[in-house]
Amino acid sequence: MTKQEVKSFRGDFQKAVAQLEAQYGVRISLGTIRFDDNGLRAKMEAVKGDAVEVFDKDDFAVGETVKINHKKVDSNEQFRIVKINSKNVVVEKINDKFGLGGKIRVSPSLLIKIEK
């Protein structure tokens, strides 16, 4: 398989499991795909709960407040977008006591918009 075929496979896989996600109330994700000429292999995970909407960098604006959907980041922490690069977004932690915290580069697919 080629890299392009693997990218197409991931997209087609997400479309194919959409019905299962709705039927069982889970969010299904495909982990890192490893491939060679003969085929591919990957881990699949199904987690109870609503699907998280995946955003592109064009969906955000500088100054917007967001959260980060990552296992190492507290789900209650809020961040402000400082800069939007070609592949990632630079965010700054909002600290209630002392103003702003450190800057982090993060993939736009991990950002969650905060409803105002």
Side-chain angles (χ1 to χ4, degrees), residues 49-113:
D50 295 332
V52 176
E53 190 173 353
V54 178
F55 294 102
D56 188 68
K57 68 180 181 73
D58 299 327
D59 297 326
F60 297 102
V62 173
E64 199 169 358
T65 304
V66 295
K67 290 184 178 184
I68 298 177
N69 181 26
H70 191 274
K71 63 184 176 184
K72 292 187 177 182
V73 179
D74 181 12
S75 61
N76 295 323
E77 289 182 347
Q78 295 185 356
F79 299 83
R80 180 169 294 119
I81 295 176
V82 177
K83 183 179 178 183
I84 300 174
N85 295 326
S86 62
K87 291 186 179 180
N88 55 39
V89 176
V90 178
V91 295
E92 196 169 41
K93 183 177 176 184
I94 298 173
N95 187 340
D96 293 337
K97 295 179 184 177
F98 304 108
L100 298 174
K103 294 180 181 177
I104 303 170
R105 281 183 303 172
V106 63
S107 170
S109 63
L110 296 175
L111 297 178
I112 302 171
K113 289 188 170 198

